[in-house]
Amino acid sequence: MNITYPSNLYREEEVLNMWKETYGETKLPRSQRPVSKYSINDTLHLIALDGDKIAGYTGWADNGSYSFTAGIYVHETYKKKNIANRLMASRLKKIGNKPIVASFAENYNENSRWVQAWKRRGWIPNPSDDEIPNGIPQEVIDYEKGRPKLFAVYSPNAINKAWNILKPYSDTELLVFMEN
């Protein structure tokens, strides 16, 4: 298994077609699922490949002054291989200096391992008004607060950026990096 992370950006339709071709599974487009209305228009995606097979993908919608995540998926075959971490870090790098909003699936709460992992990367679940980064419109926050799902915000400050550069790597990879 040799996982690669192309820097190309893909549209949602392309990613869903790759997924169907590889696994025979049809995934509904975001516009047909109960996701945030701020995460469905013109989403861009990054992928992870194992040869010519898609192993995972992540996406986001660029909404001008901020971005909104558009999910992260790793096929069951590739779980626990650090793919999600690397895709998340690549997504943050592509988004750049914009604040970001993320909405979690209904089965996640602030104590779930997945949400805790996001918190360690600098995300703030269900933020108070003074924790909202500049650039995210109040109407977006009000909308997310009115939904039954947990949401989080991310500010691209220096500490969060540094942590997200290091987080995708295993302890062994970091030791090798530090020795060189």
Side-chain angles (χ1 to χ4, degrees), residues 36-41 60-69 95-102 123 132-144 151-156:
S36 176
K37 67 182 183 180
Y38 297 101
S39 72
I40 59 174
N41 292 329
W60 71 96
D62 183 334
N63 292 317
S65 64
Y66 73 100
S67 289
F68 205 113
T69 63
I95 290 173
N97 289 320
K98 291 185 180 189
I100 310 168
V101 181
W123 290 81
I132 307 294
N134 290 334
I136 301 174
Q138 189 61 46
E139 69 186 56
V140 175
I141 299 302
D142 293 344
Y143 173 80
E144 291 305 316
F151 80 101
V153 296
Y154 176 85
S155 179

Coordinates of all heavy atoms in Angstrom, one line a residue, residues 36-41 60-69 95-102 123 132-144 151-156:
S36 N -25.1 21.2 6.4 CA -25.2 22.7 6.5 C -25.3 23.2 5.0 O -24.6 22.9 4.1 CB -24.0 23.3 7.1 OG -24.1 24.7 7.1
K37 N -26.2 24.2 4.9 CA -26.4 24.8 3.6 C -25.2 25.6 3.2 O -25.0 25.9 2.0 CB -27.7 25.7 3.6 CG -27.6 26.9 4.5 CD -28.9 27.7 4.5 CE -28.8 29.0 5.3 NZ -30.0 29.7 5.3
Y38 N -24.3 25.9 4.1 CA -23.1 26.6 3.8 C -22.0 25.7 3.3 O -20.9 26.2 3.0 CB -22.6 27.4 5.0 CG -23.7 28.5 5.4 CD1 -24.5 28.3 6.4 CD2 -23.8 29.7 4.6 CE1 -25.4 29.3 6.8 CE2 -24.7 30.6 5.0 CZ -25.5 30.4 6.1 OH -26.5 31.4 6.4
S39 N -22.2 24.4 3.2 CA -21.2 23.5 2.8 C -21.5 22.7 1.6 O -20.9 21.7 1.3 CB -20.9 22.5 4.0 OG -22.0 21.6 4.1
I40 N -22.4 23.2 0.7 CA -22.8 22.4 -0.4 C -22.5 23.1 -1.8 O -22.5 22.4 -2.8 CB -24.3 22.1 -0.4 CG1 -25.2 23.3 -0.3 CG2 -24.6 21.1 0.7 CD1 -26.7 23.0 -0.4
N41 N -22.2 24.3 -1.8 CA -22.0 25.0 -3.1 C -20.6 25.0 -3.5 O -19.7 25.4 -2.8 CB -22.5 26.4 -3.1 CG -24.0 26.5 -2.9 OD1 -24.7 25.6 -3.4 ND2 -24.5 27.5 -2.2
W60 N -14.2 21.2 1.1 CA -14.6 22.4 1.7 C -15.3 23.3 0.7 O -15.1 23.2 -0.5 CB -13.5 23.2 2.3 CG -12.5 23.8 1.4 CD1 -12.5 25.1 0.9 CD2 -11.4 23.1 0.7 NE1 -11.5 25.3 0.0 CE2 -10.8 24.1 -0.1 CE3 -10.9 21.8 0.7 CZ2 -9.7 23.8 -0.9 CZ3 -9.9 21.5 -0.1 CH2 -9.3 22.5 -0.9
A61 N -16.1 24.2 1.2 CA -16.8 25.3 0.3 C -16.1 26.6 0.7 O -16.0 26.9 1.9 CB -18.3 25.3 0.6
D62 N -15.6 27.3 -0.3 CA -15.0 28.6 -0.1 C -16.2 29.6 -0.2 O -16.8 29.8 -1.2 CB -14.0 28.9 -1.2 CG -13.3 30.2 -1.0 OD1 -13.9 31.2 -0.4 OD2 -12.2 30.4 -1.4
N63 N -16.5 30.3 1.0 CA -17.6 31.2 1.1 C -17.1 32.6 1.2 O -17.7 33.4 2.0 CB -18.5 30.8 2.2 CG -19.2 29.5 2.0 OD1 -19.7 29.2 0.9 ND2 -19.2 28.6 3.0
G64 N -16.1 33.0 0.5 CA -15.6 34.4 0.5 C -14.7 34.6 1.7 O -13.5 34.3 1.7
S65 N -15.2 35.2 2.8 CA -14.4 35.6 3.9 C -14.1 34.4 4.9 O -13.3 34.5 5.8 CB -15.1 36.7 4.7 OG -16.3 36.2 5.3
Y66 N -14.7 33.2 4.6 CA -14.5 32.1 5.4 C -14.7 30.8 4.6 O -15.3 30.9 3.4 CB -15.4 32.0 6.6 CG -16.9 31.7 6.3 CD1 -17.4 30.5 6.5 CD2 -17.7 32.7 5.7 CE1 -18.7 30.2 6.1 CE2 -19.0 32.4 5.3 CZ -19.5 31.1 5.5 OH -20.8 30.8 5.1
S67 N -14.4 29.7 5.1 CA -14.6 28.4 4.4 C -15.5 27.5 5.3 O -15.5 27.7 6.6 CB -13.3 27.7 4.0 OG -12.7 28.3 3.0
F68 N -16.1 26.5 4.8 CA -16.9 25.6 5.5 C -16.5 24.2 5.1 O -16.5 23.9 3.9 CB -18.4 25.8 5.2 CG -19.3 25.3 6.3 CD1 -20.0 26.2 7.0 CD2 -19.4 24.0 6.6 CE1 -20.9 25.8 8.1 CE2 -20.3 23.6 7.7 CZ -21.0 24.5 8.4
T69 N -16.2 23.3 6.0 CA -15.8 22.0 5.7 C -16.9 21.2 5.0 O -18.1 21.5 5.2 CB -15.3 21.2 6.9 OG1 -16.4 21.0 7.8 CG2 -14.1 21.8 7.6
I95 N -6.9 25.9 2.3 CA -7.8 27.0 2.7 C -7.0 28.2 3.1 O -7.4 29.3 2.8 CB -8.7 26.5 3.9 CG1 -9.7 25.5 3.3 CG2 -9.4 27.7 4.5 CD1 -10.5 24.8 4.4
G96 N -5.8 28.0 3.7 CA -5.0 29.2 4.0 C -5.4 30.0 5.2 O -5.6 29.4 6.3
N97 N -5.5 31.3 5.1 CA -5.7 32.1 6.2 C -7.1 32.5 6.5 O -7.4 33.5 7.2 CB -4.8 33.4 6.0 CG -3.4 33.1 6.2 OD1 -3.0 32.4 7.1 ND2 -2.6 33.8 5.4
K98 N -8.0 31.7 6.0 CA -9.4 32.0 6.3 C -9.9 31.2 7.5 O -9.5 30.1 7.7 CB -10.3 31.6 5.1 CG -10.1 32.4 3.9 CD -11.1 32.0 2.8 CE -10.9 32.9 1.6 NZ -11.9 32.6 0.6
P99 N -10.8 31.8 8.3 CA -11.4 31.1 9.4 C -12.3 30.0 8.7 O -12.8 30.1 7.6 CB -12.2 32.1 10.1 CG -12.5 33.2 9.2 CD -11.3 33.2 8.2
I100 N -12.6 28.9 9.5 CA -13.3 27.8 9.0 C -14.4 27.4 10.0 O -14.3 27.5 11.2 CB -12.4 26.6 8.7 CG1 -11.2 27.0 8.0 CG2 -13.2 25.5 8.0 CD1 -10.1 26.0 7.9
V101 N -15.6 26.9 9.4 CA -16.6 26.4 10.2 C -16.8 24.9 9.8 O -16.6 24.6 8.6 CB -18.0 27.1 9.9 CG1 -19.1 26.5 10.8 CG2 -17.8 28.6 10.2
A102 N -17.1 24.0 10.8 CA -17.3 22.6 10.5 C -18.5 22.2 11.2 O -18.8 22.7 12.3 CB -16.1 21.8 11.0
W123 N -9.6 23.5 17.0 CA -11.0 23.8 16.7 C -11.7 24.0 18.0 O -11.4 23.4 19.0 CB -11.6 22.6 15.9 CG -11.1 22.5 14.5 CD1 -10.0 21.9 14.1 CD2 -11.8 22.9 13.4 NE1 -9.8 21.9 12.8 CE2 -10.9 22.6 12.3 CE3 -13.0 23.6 13.1 CZ2 -11.3 22.9 11.0 CZ3 -13.3 23.9 11.8 CH2 -12.5 23.5 10.8
I132 N -15.7 33.4 18.2 CA -15.9 33.3 16.7 C -14.9 34.1 16.0 O -14.7 35.3 16.3 CB -17.3 33.9 16.4 CG1 -18.5 33.2 17.2 CG2 -17.6 33.8 14.8 CD1 -18.7 31.8 16.9
P133 N -14.1 33.5 15.1 CA -13.1 34.3 14.4 C -13.7 35.3 13.5 O -14.8 35.1 12.9 CB -12.4 33.2 13.5 CG -12.8 31.9 14.1 CD -14.1 32.1 14.8
N134 N -13.0 36.4 13.3 CA -13.5 37.5 12.3 C -13.6 36.8 10.9 O -12.7 36.0 10.6 CB -12.5 38.6 12.3 CG -12.5 39.5 13.5 OD1 -13.5 39.5 14.2 ND2 -11.4 40.1 13.8
G135 N -14.6 37.3 10.2 CA -14.7 36.8 8.8 C -15.9 35.8 8.7 O -16.3 35.5 7.6
I136 N -16.3 35.2 9.8 CA -17.5 34.3 9.7 C -18.7 35.2 10.0 O -18.9 35.7 11.1 CB -17.4 33.2 10.7 CG1 -16.1 32.3 10.4 CG2 -18.6 32.3 10.7 CD1 -15.8 31.3 11.5
P137 N -19.7 35.3 9.1 CA -20.9 36.1 9.3 C -21.7 35.6 10.4 O -21.8 34.3 10.6 CB -21.6 36.0 8.0 CG -20.6 35.6 7.0 CD -19.6 34.7 7.7
Q138 N -22.3 36.5 11.2 CA -23.2 36.1 12.3 C -24.4 35.2 11.8 O -24.8 34.3 12.5 CB -23.8 37.4 13.0 CG -24.5 37.1 14.3 CD -23.6 36.4 15.3 OE1 -22.5 36.8 15.6 NE2 -24.1 35.3 15.9
E139 N -24.9 35.4 10.6 CA -26.0 34.6 10.1 C -25.6 33.1 10.0 O -26.4 32.2 10.2 CB -26.5 35.1 8.8 CG -25.5 34.9 7.6 CD -26.0 35.5 6.3 OE1 -26.3 36.7 6.3 OE2 -26.1 34.8 5.3
V140 N -24.3 32.9 9.7 CA -23.8 31.5 9.6 C -23.8 30.9 11.0 O -24.2 29.7 11.2 CB -22.4 31.4 9.0 CG1 -21.8 30.0 9.0 CG2 -22.4 31.9 7.6
I141 N -23.3 31.6 12.0 CA -23.3 31.1 13.4 C -24.7 30.9 13.9 O -24.9 29.9 14.5 CB -22.5 32.1 14.3 CG1 -21.0 32.3 13.8 CG2 -22.5 31.7 15.7 CD1 -20.2 31.0 13.7
D142 N -25.6 31.8 13.7 CA -27.0 31.7 14.1 C -27.6 30.4 13.5 O -28.3 29.7 14.2 CB -27.8 32.9 13.8 CG -27.3 34.2 14.5 OD1 -26.6 34.0 15.6 OD2 -27.7 35.3 14.1
Y143 N -27.3 30.2 12.2 CA -27.9 29.1 11.5 C -27.3 27.8 12.2 O -28.1 26.8 12.5 CB -27.5 29.1 10.0 CG -27.8 27.9 9.3 CD1 -29.1 27.6 8.8 CD2 -26.9 26.9 9.0 CE1 -29.4 26.5 8.1 CE2 -27.2 25.8 8.2 CZ -28.5 25.6 7.8 OH -28.7 24.4 7.1
E144 N -26.0 27.7 12.4 CA -25.4 26.5 13.0 C -25.9 26.3 14.4 O -26.1 25.1 14.8 CB -23.9 26.6 12.9 CG -23.3 26.5 11.5 CD -23.8 25.2 10.8 OE1 -23.8 24.1 11.3 OE2 -24.1 25.4 9.6
F151 N -21.2 22.0 16.0 CA -20.4 22.7 15.0 C -19.2 23.2 15.7 O -19.1 23.3 17.0 CB -21.2 23.7 14.3 CG -21.3 25.0 15.0 CD1 -20.5 26.1 14.7 CD2 -22.3 25.2 16.0 CE1 -20.7 27.3 15.4 CE2 -22.5 26.4 16.7 CZ -21.6 27.5 16.3
A152 N -18.2 23.6 14.9 CA -16.9 24.1 15.5 C -16.4 25.1 14.6 O -16.7 25.2 13.4 CB -15.9 23.0 15.7
V153 N -15.5 26.0 15.1 CA -14.8 27.0 14.3 C -13.3 26.9 14.5 O -12.9 26.3 15.5 CB -15.3 28.5 14.7 CG1 -16.8 28.7 14.4 CG2 -15.0 28.8 16.2
Y154 N -12.6 27.4 13.5 CA -11.2 27.3 13.5 C -10.6 28.6 13.1 O -11.1 29.2 12.1 CB -10.7 26.2 12.5 CG -9.2 26.1 12.4 CD1 -8.4 25.4 13.3 CD2 -8.5 26.8 11.3 CE1 -7.0 25.3 13.1 CE2 -7.2 26.7 11.2 CZ -6.4 26.0 12.1 OH -5.1 25.9 11.9
S155 N -9.7 29.1 13.9 CA -9.0 30.4 13.5 C -7.6 30.1 13.1 O -6.9 29.3 13.8 CB -8.9 31.3 14.8 OG -8.3 32.5 14.4
P156 N -7.2 30.6 11.9 CA -5.8 30.2 11.4 C -4.7 31.0 12.0 O -3.9 31.6 11.4 CB -6.0 30.6 9.9 CG -7.0 31.7 9.9 CD -7.9 31.4 11.0

